[in-house]
Amino acid sequence: MSEKMVPIFDGHNDTLLRLEMASRANKPISFLRGDSSLHIDLPKAEQGHFAGGLFAMFVPPNQKPGEAMNFADMTQPLEQGYALDMTVAMMAQAFRLARASKSRVQICRSSIEVKMAMEDGAVALMLHIEGAEAIDADFNALEVLYAAGLRSLGPVWSRSNIFGHGVPFDFPGSPDSGPGLTDLGKELVRQCNSLGILIDLSHMNEQGFWDVHEISNRPLVASHSNVHTLCQTRRNLTDQQLDAISESDGLVGLNYAVGFLRSDGDKHNNDVALDLMVDHIAYLLEKLGEDGVALGSDFDGATVPAAIGSVAGNQALMEHMRTRGFGEALIEKIAYKNWIGMLEKTGI
């Protein structure tokens, strides 16, 4: 492997949820010391040159601590009060983590702060909501969460809420899977545009995608999605969607989840060659250009290729891009520069 180590800024992970669920089960795990159950922790971050990213706050079904999640329950609507409590708990995990890290992890509220954290050699942690169940119809919670550091938001996960309808995980299938944003969802987009909160399209169905396309005055962003032509899961993006993202000067982050990479959609088989990951990147580059492609791993929220394993293995993907003829300037764009540029374009 080349000795060249490229900083990685990643558009999506579920590490805060893993930390919070472990705490609720009275089986705490350590981000700072490292834990074999985590894809992202500080020792692995240092090994893989992980510079930071958008740390998601996804709210699972309301269940007893330690109780196994039933995937069928995952699609059921959530009560807003519970969702807000859970979201605040994950934010608190981030704040405690940053404080305990003695500046090795820094909460970032702007692109400038991300760049400063990277210069310090710290992990830049920016807060993202995946599914806006925590937001009330009057948007009071949105104001408070923004003041606390929220800078990115996906109106829906793959379930319905008061703002819209998420795309199912079915394979094979089309993202054209029902109605899009509600009137409240359209107003949520306007509110986020006004505050400077990035709108994430990754779990949006096709009609919701086109609703955001019509309403939003910011670039279109899918933080962790792949190419529908190469893997026909409903969660991936069609050529028409990619064209719209390109026209908006937007961005797509490559999702490492094996079920969104493999042509057979097998979400459990992690025998995925780095070549296939680069195939998705190459297709995205063809559709979006060099400034429109980034990384959105879904670490700690999905099964990822064994060839990557965890955030410690990210440099293997960088090296494989080199073997496929990608130049260093392009690799740096994909690895971190394009995400920082998108934060700037979004007003963050």
Side-chain angles (χ1 to χ4, degrees):
M1 178 178 288
S2 165
E3 295 183 359
K4 172 75 171 176
M5 296 282 279
V6 183
I8 307 291
F9 188 92
D10 188 332
H12 190 85
N13 69 68
D14 286 294
T15 307
L16 293 178
L17 173 63
R18 295 289 308 280
L19 295 173
E20 177 60 21
M21 294 302 285
S23 176
R24 290 181 178 226
N26 293 315
K27 297 178 179 178
I29 51 183
S30 176
F31 182 95
L32 298 179
R33 292 192 303 273
D35 191 284
S36 61
S37 70
L38 290 172
H39 284 150
I40 300 179
D41 58 35
L42 194 57
K44 295 186 190 80
E46 291 171 346
Q47 183 178 346
H49 219 49
F50 176 71
L54 299 176
F55 280 62
M57 296 173 290
F58 165 75
V59 179
N62 195 353
Q63 61 191 54
K64 296 177 182 177
E67 183 180 356
M69 287 189 197
N70 182 336
F71 190 80
D73 293 339
M74 300 278 280
T75 63
Q76 298 304 306
L78 300 180
E79 192 269 327
Q80 189 260 334
Y82 158 70
L84 181 58
D85 288 346
M86 188 72 179
T87 299
V88 169
M90 285 183 277
M91 292 184 96
Q93 287 281 353
F95 297 143
R96 294 188 190 107
L97 177 62
R99 184 170 63 249
S101 77
K102 301 187 184 330
S103 298
R104 290 179 295 167
V105 176
Q106 298 179 17
I107 306 294
C108 297
R109 293 171 172 82
S110 69
S111 55
I112 292 173
E113 290 183 0
V114 169
K115 289 186 278 191
M116 291 173 61
M118 290 179 67
E119 289 173 2
D120 290 344
V123 171
L125 191 161
M126 186 167 279
L127 292 166
H128 164 81
I129 281 181
E130 185 174 26
E133 285 87 357
I135 309 300
D136 57 284
D138 294 320
F139 304 106
N140 295 325
L142 183 66
E143 292 283 357
V144 174
L145 293 171
Y146 174 79
L150 178 68
R151 291 298 180 269
S152 176
L153 179 149
V156 295
W157 184 70
S158 292
R159 61 188 168 208
S160 297
N161 61 31
I162 63 173
F163 303 110
H165 307 276
V167 67
F169 287 100
D170 302 350
F171 177 93
S174 162
D176 186 7
S177 60
L181 294 180
T182 64
D183 288 343
L184 272 176
K186 294 173 182 177
E187 181 57 28
L188 175 63
V189 172
R190 298 184 188 101
Q191 294 278 337
C192 288
N193 279 177
S194 176
L195 287 168
I197 296 175
L198 183 146
I199 295 287
D200 183 13
L201 300 166
S202 276
H203 281 272
M204 192 112 26
N205 66 15
E206 190 165 3
Q207 185 55 55
F209 176 99
W210 294 118
D211 288 340
V212 175
H213 176 263
E214 180 179 344
I215 297 163
S216 180
N217 59 21
R218 304 298 169 92
L220 299 177
V221 175
S223 70
H224 58 304
S225 293
N226 293 341
V227 177
H228 191 268
T229 297
L230 300 180
C231 171
Q232 294 181 3
T233 174
R234 290 180 186 244
R235 267 280 282 109
N236 282 345
L237 297 162
T238 67
D239 283 355
Q240 291 77 20
Q241 290 174 305
L242 293 174
D243 288 341
I245 292 170
S246 177
E247 290 167 8
S248 78
D249 200 20
L251 177 144
V252 174
L254 177 79
N255 194 324
Y256 295 11
V258 297
F260 304 151
L261 290 165
R262 298 176 58 96
S263 62
D264 62 6
D266 188 342
K267 62 185 179 182
H268 302 296
N269 188 344
N270 68 355
D271 183 15
V272 172
L274 293 173
D275 240 5
L276 182 56
M277 299 180 75
V278 180
D279 285 346
H280 279 265
I281 291 173
Y283 195 103
L284 291 171
L285 285 168
E286 182 179 338
K287 299 295 286 185
L288 305 174
E290 291 191 0
D291 296 333
V293 184
L295 303 176
S297 67
D298 216 351
F299 279 139
D300 287 315
T303 299
V304 303
I308 298 292
S310 74
V311 73
N314 257 333
Q315 296 301 320
L317 178 59
M318 304 300 106
E319 185 65 16
H320 202 74
M321 283 193 277
R322 293 186 184 99
T323 68
R324 289 277 294 263
F326 289 42
E328 289 303 317
L330 176 57
I331 291 172
E332 288 179 356
K333 283 186 173 186
I334 295 168
Y336 71 98
K337 288 184 176 179
N338 285 345
W339 262 122
I340 295 173
M342 181 51 59
L343 296 176
E344 291 171 342
K345 285 187 279 190
T346 307
I348 297 172

